[in-house]
């Protein structure tokens, strides 16, 4: 496969592999998914935390993402409670980021000579992360295929330098490239493989199971308690002295604390799907998660990776 | 005389900001040039998704020399003073000039500031313009600190004269100006240099960029109309969408497609909104069926397959979108047909405002008020209340959740589907109106009733919690609500005693706000509400309730809830009415009625009846511009001034009937007769609300009043005559004051 004359990919995984090899070739560290439940690739500390501070960064990764309210028991052609995002974050944003992005579309088989690619205003904001940026949604023949954002603020901190963030909704993009109408029909691996598997073979059952769990079964009392606990643990970790009493080293536990913030955020999403959060409470919960995110950001910028001299 | 060409080339500028930004660029740069002395013959600005362009023709080569004369110290002043002056003025002693002045010989210096070359000024002005550009939202990128709407990539800035083009040397955060730009992102992306605006525009076109947004829009409109026509259909014109789409493309390619049969039964507004909001498609109507059956999409490039791939992709996306819309529509219809209870119940959980309760609370208040208003508006009370209960049910429908701009309209479809009256269904759509000064005003009595109740509840609610508009801040659009009340009352010529409804609605809000007070105290407030309904007057209602409860166990002392609320409501009510009067002034001013005329009329009793108030104001406005009217006001003011001064001096009020037998002159006698005749005409005219007649009778007093002042001295030495004449003046005052408060008339 070459970047100049790519064949049309034949499977979901081929699209992911091509994006991995494209961004790897462009100098990004190819990271692995974060090992926690998150609502979007942005929550991965490789984006949220690494967008902070002055140190340069370039990373790309697939992130399984969960949006409990979007579950449709695997019946809706494009709505899933568990789906994949492809995420690229480069800091500082390079001057040719748009060209790099367009190159990635070519790499997955979108012919620029035949399609209509457009950058349409779409400002991004995450109230739970206290983050916002300006950019576009990218349209291919009228379909949104990616989000393109220049981060201006994360966790209440101004971004200096600014990171460029690209987010691809992988299922939707792949369905478009592969010409598939229902996500469950999409070939996951090569259709000519000895054991061809569709997206449905892999995920139909889990979509059903989680839809039932998310909407009707998750124990809301337990979840509410877990939310409180995660919040308390986050605060507890951040309240510790910077100097570790055992090693005498300067260790700020920004990442463990941030894990608790992610946890609280996902629990909130679950509670929301269970319909036990009223409109007014909703704002209050979002505010509590944002407060955690801000405190984690405050802690991270005091660490070495956050730009503090060692 | 060189021409200037500027292009600021960036990543994609939001469509909605482009036109304004081009205009800001033109204004800021040309203002800056003129301020520095560089005048020009003409200027024009353009925008595309990736560039803002300004061309300025016939610029001066350099700014003119500026001479300034400065007065210095006296001749013979200490050297120190003279040296200081030389330093300040930047001249040598030899350049000073001695001049004689009345205070003796004085040094003068002539300071000459050389002109500056155009390039230097342009560079300065452009750098300043870029750094302080008024984007509605701007951002930083990379490691820099410059702000622009999206990353700025290059600056083209050249001055062109007979000798050729020259780059204006300037640099903004490492971006140096040059003479190159780029064409279409995909069709001709190489850089090229340009030598003048004409060269620039022509080369851009060769590179698949149409510079002018109007030209792009016109091309889109024409091609779209042609495509529709060729298919036997017609384009649904949409100027806002056209402007937006023209800002999304540099090289428009117009394509038409068909909407899948399965979606053609969706309401046309749903098709149109879904296509417009999500896809920026134009709608195409088939005149034979009246349905929207096709769409037009505008791509940003030509392709070898004439757009076939692009169209197929767009069609697919549209089908997915419309499948969603149809899913919402079908689900919503199911709820609608089972009486919409699921929606109205859910409104209980939606907060309207944290102090004013849920949407459910609000709807109950509106329904109750609609019931009370119905006799005045000529609507059926039960239907008005029912219509109010359903009017906002669609806020919980899936379609309105997806497309908030369809609120009301969807309600109308759903209420009709539920089997209610068409008139009740129409209320859902119409009760939000009017939304502005020129918007349609509903006239169906049911819609008028609920629309009024909605707006009055809104106004009294925010007044009750003291969230009034201040300055430019009006987050709840209360000015618009007040204007809505005015227009609803006037266009249906309602005779609505606003005071009473404002009082009782304010009181209802206060009752709700004091929900945690003692039950008995709340009971007293509810009694008060009943009394208002009975008497129609707040003060009397409060007195009566207080008297009745005096010996009961309910607290009616000064600090009690009843008294506290009872005292604050009239003030709030008066304040709200004054706010509505202010809005009325603005509204009528646009119709040519002077603000002082309205002031003169709002001072009259019954000023809460807006229809009467406006009738009176129109009549007064008509008469005040006539010669008689204008002079009558002068005469009235003269009478009033003399009278007021005399009353102040004498410490009495002259309101005793004057006696004609003390009249000395013909003009005095004539005034007596005229006043008597006028009063005989005015009183019944006012009774019949025939204000033109009353005003005409009043204006007829002009001649006798003028003649009286011409001939008669009021303040004579004869005390009896003086008193009688002052009483005569008081008669003028009384008669005029029954028509309008002329002291408010200016001039």
């Amino acid at each position: 496969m070459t970047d100049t004359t790519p064949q049309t990919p034949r499977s979901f995984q081929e699209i992911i592999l091509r994006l991995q090899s494209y961004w790897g070739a462009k100098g990004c560290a190819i990271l692995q998914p974060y090992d926690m439940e998150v609502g979007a690739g942005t929550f991965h500390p490789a984006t949220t935390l690494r967008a902070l501070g002055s140190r340069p960064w370039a990373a790309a990764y697939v992130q399984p993402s969960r949006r409990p309210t979007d579950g449709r028991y695997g019946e809706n052609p494009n709505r899933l409670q568990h789906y994949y995002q492809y995420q690229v974050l480069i800091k500082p944003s390079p001057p040719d980021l748009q060209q790099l992005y367009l190159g990635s579309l070519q790499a997955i088989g979108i012919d620029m000579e035949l399609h209509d690619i457009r950058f349409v205003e779409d400002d991004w904001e995450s109230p739970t992360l206290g983050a916002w940026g300006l950019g576009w949604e990218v349209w291919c023949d009228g379909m949104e295929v990616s989000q393109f954002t220049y981060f201006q603020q994360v966790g209440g901190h101004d971004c200096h330098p600014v990171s460029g963030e690209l987010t691809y909704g992988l299922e939707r993009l792949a369905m478009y490239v592969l010409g598939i109408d229902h996500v469950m029909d999409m070939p996951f691996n090569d259709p000519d493989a000895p054991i061809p598997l569709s997206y449905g073979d892999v995920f139909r059952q889990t979509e059903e199971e989680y839809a039932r769990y998310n909407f009707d079964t998750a124990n809301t009392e337990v979840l509410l308690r877990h939310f409180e606990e995660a919040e308390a643990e986050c605060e507890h970790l951040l309240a510790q002295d910077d100097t570790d009493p055992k090693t005498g080293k300067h260790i700020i536990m920004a990442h463990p604390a941030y894990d608790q913030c992610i946890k609280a955020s996902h629990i909130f999403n679950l509670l929301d799907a269970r319909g036990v959060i009223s409109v007014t409470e909703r704002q209050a919960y979002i505010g509590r998660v944002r407060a955690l995110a801000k405190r984690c950001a405050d802690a991270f910028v005091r660490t070495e990776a956050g730009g503090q001299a060692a | 005389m060189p021409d200037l060409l500027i292009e600021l080339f960036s990543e994609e500028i939001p469509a909605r900001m482009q036109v304004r930004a081009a205009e800001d660029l033109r204004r800021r740069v040309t203002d800056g040039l003129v301020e520095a002395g560089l005048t020009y013959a003409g200027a024009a600005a353009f925008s595309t998704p990736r560039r803002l362009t300004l061309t300025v023709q016939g610029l001066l080569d350099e700014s003119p020399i500026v001479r300034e004369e400065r007065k210095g110290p006296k001749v013979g002043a200490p050297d120190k003073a003279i040296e200081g002056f030389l330093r300040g003025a930047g001249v040598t002693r030899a350049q000073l000039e001695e001049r004689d002045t009345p205070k003796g010989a004085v040094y003068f210096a002539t300071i000459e500031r050389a002109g500056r070359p155009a390039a230097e000024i342009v560079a300065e002005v452009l750098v300043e313009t870029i750094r302080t550009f008024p984007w509605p939202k701007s951002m930083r990128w990379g490691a820099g600190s410059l702000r622009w709407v999206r990353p700025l990539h290059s600056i083209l800035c050249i001055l062109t004269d007979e000798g050729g083009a020259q780059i204006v040397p300037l640099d903004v955060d490492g971006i140096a100006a040059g003479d190159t730009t780029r064409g279409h992102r995909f069709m001709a992306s190489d850089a090229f240099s340009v030598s003048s605006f004409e060269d620039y525009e022509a080369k851009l076109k060769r590179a698949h960029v149409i510079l002018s947004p109007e030209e792009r829009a016109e091309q889109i409109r024409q091609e779209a109309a042609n495509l529709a026509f060729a298919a036997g259909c017609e384009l649904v014109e949409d100027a806002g969408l056209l402007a937006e789409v023209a800002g999304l493309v540099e090289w428009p390619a117009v394509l038409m497609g068909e909407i899948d049969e399965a979606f053609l039964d969706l309401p046309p507004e749903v098709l149109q909104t879904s296509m417009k909001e999500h896809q920026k498609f134009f709608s195409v109507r088939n005149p034979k069926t009246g349905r929207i059956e096709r769409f037009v999409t505008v791509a940003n490039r030509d392709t070898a397959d004439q757009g076939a791939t692009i169209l197929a992709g767009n069609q697919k996306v549209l089908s997915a979108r419309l499948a969603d819309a149809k899913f919402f529509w079908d689900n919503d219809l199911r709820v609608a047909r089972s009486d919409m209870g699921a929606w109205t119940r859910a409104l209980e959980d939606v907060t309207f405002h944290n102090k004013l309760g849920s949407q459910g609370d609000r709807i109950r208040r509106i329904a109750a008020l609609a019931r009370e208003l119905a006799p005045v508006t000529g609507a059926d009370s039960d239907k008005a209340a029912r219509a109010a209960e359903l009017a906002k049910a669609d806020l919980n429908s899936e379609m309105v959740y997806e497309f908030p701009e369809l609120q009301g309209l969807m309600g109308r479809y759903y209420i009709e589907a539920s089997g209610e009256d068409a008139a009740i269904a129409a209320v859902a759509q119409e009760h939000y109106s009017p939304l502005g000064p020129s918007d349609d005003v509903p006239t169906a009595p049911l819609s008028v009733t609920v629309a009024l109740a909605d707006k009055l509840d809104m106004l009294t609610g925010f007044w009750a919690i003291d969230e009034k508009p201040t300055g430019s801040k009006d987050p709840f659009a209360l000015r618009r609500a007040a204007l809505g009340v005015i227009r609803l009352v006037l266009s249906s010529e309602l005779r609505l005693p606003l005071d009473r409804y404002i009082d009782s609605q304010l009181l209802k809000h206060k009752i709700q706000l004091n929900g945690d007070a003692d039950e008995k105290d709340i009971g007293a407030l509810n009694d008060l509400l009943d009394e208002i309904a009975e008497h129609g007057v707040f003060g009397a209602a409060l007195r009566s309730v207080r008297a009745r409860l005096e010996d009961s166990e309910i607290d009616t002392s000064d600090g009690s809830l009843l008294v506290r609320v009872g005292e604050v409501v009239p003030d709030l009510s008066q304040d709200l009415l004054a706010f509505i009067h202010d809005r009325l002034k603005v509204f009528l001013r646009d119709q040519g009625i002077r603000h002082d005329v309205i002031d003169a009329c709002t001072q009259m009793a019954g000023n809460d009846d807006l229809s009467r108030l406006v009738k009176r104001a129109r009549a007064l406005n008509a008469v005040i511009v006539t010669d008689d009217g204008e002079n009558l006001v002068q005469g009235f003011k003269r009478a009033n001034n003399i009278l007021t001064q005399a009353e102040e001096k004498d410490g009495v009020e002259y309101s005793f009937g004057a006696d004609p037998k003390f009249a000395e002159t013909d003009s005095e006698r004539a005034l007596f007769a005229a006043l008597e005749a006028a009063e005989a005409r005015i009183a019944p005219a006012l009774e019949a609300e025939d204000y033109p007649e009353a005003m005409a009778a009043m204006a007829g007093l002009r001649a006798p009043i003028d003649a009286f002042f011409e001939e008669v001295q009021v303040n004579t030495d004869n005390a009896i005559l003086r008193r009688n004449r002052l009483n005569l003046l008081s008669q003028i005052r009384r008669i005029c004051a029954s028509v309008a408060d002329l002291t408010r008339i200016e001039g």
Side-chain angles (χ1 to χ4, degrees):
Chain A
M1 186 196 85
T2 69
D3 277 355
T4 46
T5 55
Q7 305 283 310
T8 304
R10 309 191 60 209
S11 66
F12 185 53
Q13 74 190 28
E14 189 181 345
I15 287 172
I16 295 175
L17 292 169
R18 287 202 195 177
L19 284 173
Q20 298 277 50
S21 85
Y22 176 84
W23 286 109
K26 296 297 177 191
C28 286
I30 303 301
L31 302 182
Q32 300 305 319
Y34 203 56
D35 58 343
M36 290 187 67
E37 298 142 315
V38 294
T42 308
F43 276 84
H44 195 310
T47 289
T48 319
L49 296 182
R50 295 291 176 155
L52 293 164
S54 56
R55 291 178 61 162
W57 182 254
Y61 54 88
V62 177
Q63 181 61 51
S65 306
R66 299 186 186 222
R67 293 201 179 154
T69 44
D70 278 356
R72 295 290 184 274
Y73 301 85
E75 288 162 10
N76 187 289
N78 10 246
R79 265 187 212 272
L80 301 160
Q81 59 82 38
H82 172 283
Y83 64 104
Y84 289 114
Q85 282 193 342
Y86 196 83
Q87 175 88 2
V88 179
L89 190 86
I90 306 181
K91 176 174 80 174
S93 64
D96 60 345
L97 188 56
Q98 279 186 312
Q99 280 310 316
L100 286 172
Y101 167 75
L102 292 171
S104 75
L105 293 186
Q106 256 162 326
I108 57 173
I110 295 179
D111 181 356
M112 299 288 148
E113 294 299 308
L114 283 180
H115 293 276
D116 180 35
I117 309 289
R118 227 87 70 68
F119 293 86
V120 181
E121 177 191 16
D122 189 35
D123 300 339
W124 173 81
E125 190 182 1
S126 168
T128 38
L129 288 176
W132 67 276
L134 299 191
W136 311 273
E137 48 183 48
V138 185
W139 286 11
C140 176
D141 302 338
M143 190 180 72
E144 185 194 338
V145 289
S146 304
Q147 284 280 332
F148 192 128
T149 307
Y150 291 101
F151 277 2
Q152 302 294 300
Q153 236 186 29
V154 173
H157 290 255
D158 281 345
C159 299
H160 273 296
V162 167
S163 300
E165 183 210 45
L166 308 173
T167 303
Y168 308 69
L170 281 173
E171 282 82 357
R172 188 137 54 130
L173 180 61
M175 282 166 68
Y176 188 73
V177 171
L178 302 173
I180 305 289
D181 290 330
H182 198 297
V183 63
M184 293 298 167
D185 299 335
M186 178 161 63
F188 202 104
N189 61 357
D190 192 313
D192 294 333
I195 305 174
L197 294 169
S198 70
Y199 195 92
D201 292 331
V202 182
F203 285 122
R204 191 191 305 276
Q205 183 178 324
T206 54
E207 281 299 305
E208 277 184 358
E209 291 177 9
Y210 278 102
R212 183 173 178 193
Y213 167 77
N214 295 335
F215 289 131
D216 304 316
T217 325
N219 184 327
T220 55
E221 268 172 53
V222 171
L223 288 172
L224 283 166
R225 199 173 69 235
H226 283 342
F227 183 93
E228 309 276 341
E229 285 167 358
E231 186 180 42
E233 180 72 348
C234 181
E235 280 164 2
H236 168 73
L237 294 175
L238 294 175
Q240 300 305 306
D241 198 283
D242 289 359
T243 306
D244 172 26
K246 196 169 83 194
T247 62
K249 283 185 175 179
H250 187 255
I251 306 178
I252 298 170
M253 290 173 283
H255 285 82
Y258 180 63
D259 285 352
Q260 298 302 318
C261 169
I262 295 179
K263 199 174 276 181
S265 172
H266 177 64
I267 293 169
F268 161 72
N269 288 341
L270 278 172
L271 286 167
D272 199 22
R274 289 284 281 112
V276 294
I277 293 182
S278 75
V279 182
T280 27
E281 284 175 319
R282 225 185 118 77
Q283 285 315 310
Y285 272 101
I286 290 173
R288 284 163 77 179
V289 177
R290 179 169 58 238
L292 297 181
K294 281 193 169 163
R295 294 201 51 198
C296 294
D298 294 346
F300 179 75
V301 296
R302 295 194 297 114
T303 67
E304 197 186 330
Q308 255 344 301
Chain B
M1 297 272 246
D3 295 337
L4 169 66
L5 173 63
I6 294 170
E7 183 204 60
L8 304 173
F9 183 80
S10 67
E11 297 178 11
E12 278 76 357
I13 307 166
R16 66 189 169 94
M17 300 178 189
Q18 289 166 17
V19 171
R20 172 72 196 273
E23 176 53 26
D24 283 337
L25 177 66
R26 187 192 63 75
R27 196 170 37 80
R28 294 217 163 194
V29 170
T30 55
D31 283 359
L33 294 176
V34 170
E35 201 173 310
L38 275 194
T39 53
Y40 61 95
F46 306 91
S47 59
T48 80
R50 294 210 289 168
R51 57 200 97 219
L52 298 180
T53 301
L54 172 67
T55 164
V56 182
Q57 305 98 35
L59 204 59
L60 290 181
D61 287 310
E62 55 178 37
S63 58
I65 297 167
V66 181
R67 283 196 185 77
E68 183 197 335
E69 195 166 79
R70 216 181 274 186
K71 187 178 165 192
K74 281 190 184 147
V75 174
D79 275 357
K80 252 198 174 146
I82 295 171
E83 277 158 24
F85 175 65
L86 292 175
R87 259 198 315 279
V91 294
T92 64
R93 192 147 194 161
Q95 289 170 302
L96 289 183
E97 190 191 328
E98 289 180 25
R99 268 190 234 164
D100 285 328
T101 73
K103 289 183 181 169
V106 171
Y107 286 117
F108 277 82
T110 302
I111 308 164
E112 203 175 274
R113 255 183 257 116
R116 298 166 65 209
E120 199 180 304
I121 294 173
V122 166
E124 226 172 72
V125 169
L126 182 55
V127 169
E128 174 68 11
T129 299
I130 292 173
R131 291 202 179 281
T132 60
F133 203 79
W135 291 110
K137 255 186 190 174
S138 64
M139 54 165 273
R140 292 172 288 105
W141 61 94
S145 60
L146 183 62
R147 301 189 77 91
W148 200 243
V149 64
R150 293 293 183 274
L152 179 65
H153 279 265
S154 66
I155 299 170
L156 182 156
C157 186
I158 55 171
L159 280 165
T160 308
D161 58 16
E162 306 77 34
Q166 278 198 324
I167 295 170
V168 174
L170 66 94
D171 180 292
V172 184
D173 276 33
I175 306 170
D179 62 356
T180 61
T181 184
R182 287 171 188 277
H184 190 276
R185 183 190 279 286
F186 299 104
M187 300 179 74
S189 59
D190 289 342
F192 53 86
S193 64
V194 302
S195 59
S196 68
F197 175 70
E198 293 69 30
D199 184 43
Y200 168 79
E201 195 179 21
K203 280 180 177 159
L204 273 183
K205 194 157 267 180
R206 281 204 291 279
H208 301 281
V209 175
I210 297 173
L211 181 62
S212 154
E214 290 86 16
E215 192 183 332
R216 293 194 302 274
E218 185 49 27
Q219 184 179 326
I220 293 166
R221 202 192 58 75
Q222 261 181 27
E223 285 182 26
N226 289 347
L227 283 172
F229 181 75
C233 294
E234 61 196 16
L235 181 72
V236 179
E237 305 255 353
D238 184 335
L241 181 60
L242 183 62
E244 186 181 2
V245 170
L248 287 171
V249 294
E250 294 198 312
W251 191 252
V254 182
L255 304 166
M256 185 171 70
E258 285 179 40
I259 299 169
D260 193 307
E261 187 75 34
F263 308 120
L264 292 182
D265 290 332
L266 283 169
E269 296 90 348
V270 170
L271 284 175
Q272 220 169 319
T273 306
S274 174
M275 295 204 292
K276 172 183 173 166
E277 293 305 316
H278 288 139
Q279 306 300 136
K280 322 270 185 224
F281 288 174
F282 292 90
S283 297
V284 176
R285 187 185 294 120
N286 181 345
K288 280 168 233 116
T289 61
R291 295 190 304 190
I292 288 170
E293 296 181 356
R294 289 166 190 258
F295 66 89
V296 162
T297 180
V298 182
N300 186 33
R301 64 163 305 147
D302 300 332
T303 60
D305 64 354
Q306 274 76 49
T309 309
I310 296 173
L311 186 60
N314 275 288
Q315 205 137 12
K316 199 164 167 178
V317 180
L318 178 64
S319 288
R321 289 283 189 196
L322 293 183
D324 274 351
K326 191 170 162 49
F327 180 73
F328 302 146
W329 171 247
D330 291 341
N331 284 352
D332 286 347
L333 281 180
R334 212 167 301 133
V335 179
R337 288 179 183 135
S338 62
D339 91 344
M340 287 177 285
W343 290 339
T344 46
R345 276 193 299 279
L347 285 173
E348 300 296 335
D349 300 330
V350 180
T351 308
F352 166 64
H353 181 281
N354 59 6
K355 287 189 187 151
L356 297 176
S358 68
Q359 283 283 12
D361 293 329
R362 176 162 149 75
I363 285 162
R364 266 187 298 283
R365 287 195 305 263
I366 295 174
L369 180 54
R371 195 179 276 286
E372 290 168 33
L373 287 169
V376 182
T377 55
D380 178 275
S381 293
D382 290 338
K383 283 187 177 174
R386 179 70 181 148
E389 279 159 16
L390 296 177
K392 294 179 195 294
D394 67 342
L395 292 181
N396 266 326
S397 69
E398 293 183 34
M399 191 71 87
V400 172
Y401 183 81
E402 187 69 14
F403 300 112
E405 62 271 47
L406 292 180
Q407 73 172 22
L409 177 76
M410 294 322 294
R412 183 177 196 155
Y413 278 114
Y414 296 145
I415 294 168
E416 232 167 299
S418 79
E420 293 278 357
D421 266 19
I424 288 180
V427 170
Q429 186 179 11
E430 294 180 344
H431 83 284
Y432 295 106
S433 302
L435 293 172
S438 51
D439 200 30
D440 282 345
V441 186
T443 50
L446 273 183
S447 300
V448 171
T449 312
V450 179
L452 262 179
D454 184 324
K455 289 163 182 64
L456 284 175
D457 178 70
M458 179 108 168
L459 287 163
T460 50
F462 285 102
W463 247 255
I465 59 169
D466 199 23
E467 289 265 8
K468 298 178 253 183
T470 51
S472 61
K473 286 207 190 84
D474 183 11
F476 305 106
L478 299 178
R479 290 193 178 99
R480 192 169 78 184
L483 177 62
V485 170
I486 291 166
R487 296 195 61 211
L488 285 161
V489 168
L490 295 185
S491 80
S492 289
E493 294 179 22
L494 297 180
R495 303 310 303 266
L496 187 69
L498 267 180
D499 256 344
R500 185 191 134 186
Y501 292 98
I502 290 177
D503 284 348
S504 59
Q505 204 65 12
L506 276 168
L507 189 52
K508 284 185 197 169
H509 281 293
K510 285 292 180 188
I511 291 173
Q512 203 156 343
L513 287 165
N514 286 289
D516 52 1
D518 189 274
E519 217 171 285
K520 292 200 192 86
D521 287 344
I522 293 291
L525 291 180
N526 277 316
D527 287 351
L528 188 49
L529 212 47
D530 293 340
E531 292 285 338
I532 295 175
E534 184 82 8
H535 298 293
V537 186
F538 189 85
L542 180 62
R543 275 194 300 279
S544 133
V545 172
R546 263 185 106 165
R548 187 143 47 79
L549 296 179
E550 200 131 87
D551 297 323
S552 73
E553 54 185 303
I554 295 166
D555 187 6
T556 58
S557 64
D558 277 356
S560 69
L561 182 65
L562 176 70
V563 171
R564 267 187 293 130
V565 170
E567 275 172 358
V568 74
V569 165
D571 289 345
L572 289 174
S573 178
Q574 207 170 11
D575 190 51
L576 177 51
L577 188 61
F579 177 76
I580 294 175
H581 283 156
D582 268 351
R583 291 294 101 199
L584 181 66
K585 242 186 260 183
V586 175
F587 178 63
L588 291 181
R589 190 176 55 207
D590 294 342
Q591 303 186 2
I593 299 184
R594 283 162 41 174
H595 68 96
D596 53 341
V597 164
I598 301 166
D599 280 340
C601 298
T602 53
Q603 296 305 313
M604 306 303 289
N607 63 357
D608 62 330
D609 176 345
L610 300 180
S611 294
R612 181 157 68 170
L613 175 57
V614 170
K615 265 209 235 172
R616 193 191 291 267
R618 285 192 198 284
L620 181 57
N621 201 63
V623 83
I624 215 88
V625 294
T626 64
D627 195 41
D628 273 354
E630 202 178 314
N631 284 295
L632 170 83
V633 171
Q634 295 314 322
F636 162 81
K637 283 189 175 172
R638 193 165 164 191
N640 191 44
N641 286 341
I642 294 173
L643 190 56
T644 313
Q645 278 164 16
E647 285 179 333
E648 265 169 32
K649 189 168 150 232
D650 305 346
V652 291
E653 191 180 320
Y654 289 100
S655 55
F656 201 70
D659 193 335
K661 77 178 177 207
F662 295 114
E664 274 194 328
T665 64
D666 283 348
S667 61
E668 205 170 353
R669 272 183 289 274
L671 181 56
F672 267 103
L675 284 171
E676 196 175 330
E679 192 157 28
R681 259 177 87 189
I682 289 174
L686 288 177
E687 185 72 21
E689 297 187 10
D690 185 349
Y691 295 106
E693 164 67 9
M695 301 284 170
M698 183 177 74
L701 289 173
R702 175 239 168 141
I705 291 176
D706 282 359
F708 172 80
F709 281 124
E710 188 84 2
E711 212 176 288
V712 178
Q713 176 83 24
V714 175
N715 285 314
T716 117
D717 292 338
N718 181 332
I720 296 173
L721 284 185
R722 176 172 176 268
R723 187 164 60 238
N724 197 53
R725 283 172 187 165
L726 286 169
N727 278 324
L728 184 59
L729 296 188
S730 124
Q731 218 163 319
I732 297 177
R733 178 168 69 182
R734 183 170 50 76
I735 291 174
C736 291
S738 69
V739 179
D741 182 357
L742 297 184
T743 61
R744 301 277 164 164
I745 301 297
E746 289 168 6

